[in-house]
């Protein structure tokens, strides 16, 4: 058995959560075998989830040293180790020997660990045999990218009866505030993560339920005593938060944990300052008034905590600008035919629609006319993938951040039906009640700032989509207009700017130009949207 010093640098790969409801998965097929080189983005294996068979891509470079869960394994829990990778090819044999040696010792370790657990539980007068039937509820993964969540509100209190389908609590995820429903009947014995708890990791216990109402006090007292003992025992381990998608531990996390382990975690800020070799000479030299003014913090300031949604938005926007080659194309359209058409719908047919509703329909029809524009870039295959349906994502500003509910198959819907759907989706987005299928996916996005004094702007692409259209406000300008007699004369028209931000791997000049041409045609002859 290798010691911690002799163990080579390695990464333990856990079973990922590839769908919001996934708690376990099956290893359908290993695409890499032990000893193979792995690059970032390589498919390691195919995993059968509760929704479909999906490919699991590597987030790190290295070599596949050991497969811990063989092909065909069923019901592997999320988070369970399925493989080990190493950085250097020479370390494969060391890790393989270590894993083989440890597998023989695991049985002995498990026995000793059980004895330790029994001793710990006996010290607080609890043993597993004495505990009544109970279920520990963990923080669920309510979206594919969720690694942690906030307890927004408990809908049940301790002691309440729980039926199947009852909402236990409201959880703020990285996308929206969603309801967590119970899958079992019973009684809520103990709430472990109180209302308002922030950044609770997926899989961390948040509550305990029991089957029998008479067991409430027993479990509640047991859990309370257990918590007290845990508080008395100091934790000497230096923890490190996993920064990868869905709670994946990356190499940088491990290296950071090793570095932080060299220092005492209890060292205060003041102690660190006095121990720093850089701060000592600075403290002995009197600072000039100018330097003090630069170092002095403002007298009044306020820290605004970010919601889970805003944190994810910030991360995804940065990744988009870093990894997606943005191509910008801009064009002005005359808005007057649209405004006249909207007025006619209201006066003659009593149909009230917004300018944005008509823009959605115009964009959807243009995508139908130019199918090459309704596509995305497949990073793994290195090619463009054309999409069958035209699903338009609409940017909606909420208190918690920007949400993008989706109008699906917008090219096949009427303007009035689009209007009703947008109103319903926007209301649900602002209330934080969108379900995952209402904001996940989409083939094209629209961001409209026409209600503000914004003439034009460039929006950031929302991956994996390949395009987003930025819509500015309408401005009245004087332009030459060709009359019915064929002569030009100056006239006042309303101009609106449209700026396309496109993934240059999908959109070249030809595709972008063809799409804007089709879009301009829809604005010039607005009645074609009725066909």
């Amino acid at each position: 058995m290798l010691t911690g010093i002799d163990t080579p640098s390695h990464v333990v790969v856990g079973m990922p959560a590839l769908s919001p409801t996934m708690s376990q998965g099956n290893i359908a097929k290993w695409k890499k075998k032990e000893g193979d080189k792995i690059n970032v983005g390589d498919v390691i294996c195919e995993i059968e989830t509760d929704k479909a068979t999906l490919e699991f891509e590597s987030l790190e470079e290295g070599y596949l040293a050991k497969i811990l869960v063989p092909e065909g394994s069923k019901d592997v829990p999320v988070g369970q180790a399925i493989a080990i990778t190493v950085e250097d090819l020479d370390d494969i044999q060391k890790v393989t020997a270590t894993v083989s040696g440890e597998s023989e010792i695991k049985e002995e370790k498990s026995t000793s660990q059980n004895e330790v657990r029994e001793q710990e539980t006996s010290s607080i007068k609890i043993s597993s045999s004495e505990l009544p039937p109970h279920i520990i509820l963990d923080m669920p993964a309510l979206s594919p990218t969720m690694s942690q969540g906030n307890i927004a509100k408990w809908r049940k209190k301790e002691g309440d009866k729980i039926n199947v389908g009852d909402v236990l609590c409201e959880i703020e995820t990285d996308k929206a505030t969603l309801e967590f429903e119970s899958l079992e009947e019973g009684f809520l014995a103990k709430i472990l993560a109180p209302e308002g708890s922030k950044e609770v990791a997926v899989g961390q216990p948040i509550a305990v339920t029991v089957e029998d109402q008479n067991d409430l006090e027993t479990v509640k007292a047991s859990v309370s005593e257990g918590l007290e003992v845990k508080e008395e025992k100091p934790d000497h381990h230096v923890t490190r938060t996993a920064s990868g998608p869905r709670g994946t531990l990356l190499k940088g996390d491990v290296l950071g944990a090793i570095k932080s382990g060299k220092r005492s975690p209890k060292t205060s800020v003041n102690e660190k300052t006095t121990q720093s070799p850089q701060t000592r000479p600075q403290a002995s030299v009197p600072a000039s008034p100018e330097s003090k003014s630069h170092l002095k913090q403002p007298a009044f300031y306020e820290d605004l905590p970010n919601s889970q949604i805003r944190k994810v938005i910030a991360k995804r926007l940065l990744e988009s600008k870093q990894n997606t080659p943005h191509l910008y194309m801009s064009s002005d359209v005359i808005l007057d035919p649209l405004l006249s058409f909207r007025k006619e719908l209201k006066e003659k047919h009593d149909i009230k629609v917004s300018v944005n509703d008509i823009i959605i329909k115009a964009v959807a029809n243009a995508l139908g006319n130019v199918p090459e524009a309704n596509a995305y870039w497949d990073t793994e295959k290195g090619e463009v993938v054309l999409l069958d349906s035209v699903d338009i994502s609409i940017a909606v500003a909420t208190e918690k951040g920007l949400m993008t509910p989706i109008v699906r198959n917008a090219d096949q819907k009427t303007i009035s039906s689009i209007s009703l759907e947008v109103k319903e989706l926007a209301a649900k987005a602002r209330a934080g009640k969108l379900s995952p299928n209402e904001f996940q996916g989409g083939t094209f996005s629209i961001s409209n700032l026409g209600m503000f004094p914004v003439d034009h702007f460039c929006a950031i692409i929302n991956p994996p989509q390949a395009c987003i259209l930025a819509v500015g406000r309408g401005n009245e300008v004087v332009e030459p207009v060709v009359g019915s007699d064929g002569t030009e004369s100056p006239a006042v028209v309303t101009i609106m700017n449209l700026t396309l931000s496109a993934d240059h791997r999908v959109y070249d000049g030809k595709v972008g130009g063809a799409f804007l041409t089709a879009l301009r045609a829809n604005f010039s002859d607005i009645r074609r949207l009725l066909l």
Side-chain angles (χ1 to χ4, degrees), residues 211-222:
E211 296 178 2
D212 192 347
Q213 189 175 13
N214 297 326
D215 296 331
L216 286 172
E217 293 302 325
T218 304
V219 172
K220 186 174 181 180
S222 302

Side-chain angles (χ1 to χ4, degrees), residues 110-286:
S110 61
T111 304
S112 61
Q113 287 175 357
N114 290 336
E115 293 175 356
V116 172
R117 288 175 183 170
E118 289 179 2
Q119 292 175 1
E120 290 179 352
T121 54
S122 62
S123 65
I124 56 176
K125 299 180 181 179
I126 304 173
S127 68
S128 58
S129 59
E130 294 175 356
L131 283 176
H134 63 283
I135 297 175
I136 298 176
L137 300 180
D138 297 332
M139 171 65 76
L142 299 177
S143 77
T145 57
M146 177 181 173
S147 60
Q148 57 188 16
N150 305 334
I151 304 294
K153 182 179 180 181
W154 278 99
R155 301 277 285 273
K156 296 286 185 180
K157 59 180 183 293
E158 293 181 359
D160 280 359
K161 178 74 171 69
I162 302 171
N163 295 314
V164 176
D166 282 357
V167 177
L168 297 175
C169 62
E170 295 179 2
I171 297 175
E172 183 186 16
T173 73
D174 54 349
K175 300 292 185 184
T177 300
L178 303 176
E179 296 177 337
F180 179 31
E181 297 181 354
S182 175
L183 301 177
E184 301 283 347
E185 288 187 1
F187 296 86
L188 183 56
K190 183 68 178 179
I191 294 176
L192 304 178
E195 194 169 290
S197 298
K198 303 290 185 181
E199 299 180 353
V200 182
V202 168
Q204 179 176 325
I206 61 174
V208 181
T209 64
V210 294
E211 296 178 2
D212 192 347
Q213 189 175 13
N214 297 326
D215 296 331
L216 286 172
E217 293 302 325
T218 304
V219 172
K220 186 174 181 180
S222 302
V223 175
S224 299
E225 291 179 3
L227 292 175
E228 291 174 3
V229 173
K230 286 183 180 179
E231 290 176 359
E232 293 174 3
K233 292 184 179 181
D235 186 7
H236 297 287
H237 298 284
V238 180
T239 59
R240 189 78 176 179
T241 303
S243 61
R246 306 184 189 95
T248 305
L249 189 68
L250 302 181
K251 181 177 73 175
D253 303 325
V254 178
L255 296 177
I258 295 173
K259 292 180 181 179
S260 62
K262 297 178 182 180
R263 299 180 180 179
S264 171
K266 295 183 179 180
T267 306
S268 65
V269 178
N270 293 334
E271 289 175 350
K272 289 181 181 178
T273 304
T274 56
Q275 292 173 0
S276 174
Q278 296 178 352
T279 55
R280 287 179 182 175
Q282 292 177 0
S284 60
V285 179

Side-chain angles (χ1 to χ4, degrees), residues 49-61:
T49 73
D50 56 342
K51 301 295 184 184
T53 299
L54 304 175
E55 295 178 333
F56 178 33
E57 297 181 355
S58 174
L59 301 174
E60 301 281 349
E61 289 188 0

Side-chain angles (χ1 to χ4, degrees), residues 359-375 386-394 406-413 418 421 441-446 465 507 515:
I359 293 175
I360 294 172
K361 180 63 175 176
V363 169
N365 282 17
L367 289 172
N369 294 332
V370 187
E372 297 85 1
N374 193 47
L386 300 182
L387 299 166
D388 296 329
S389 61
V390 177
D391 304 327
I392 306 296
S393 300
I394 309 301
I406 302 168
V407 179
R408 300 193 181 275
N409 298 310
D411 58 326
Q412 302 174 15
K413 296 179 178 177
I418 290 175
E421 189 171 346
T443 64
F444 191 100
S445 291
I446 297 176
Q465 296 179 13
Y507 280 68
F515 172 75

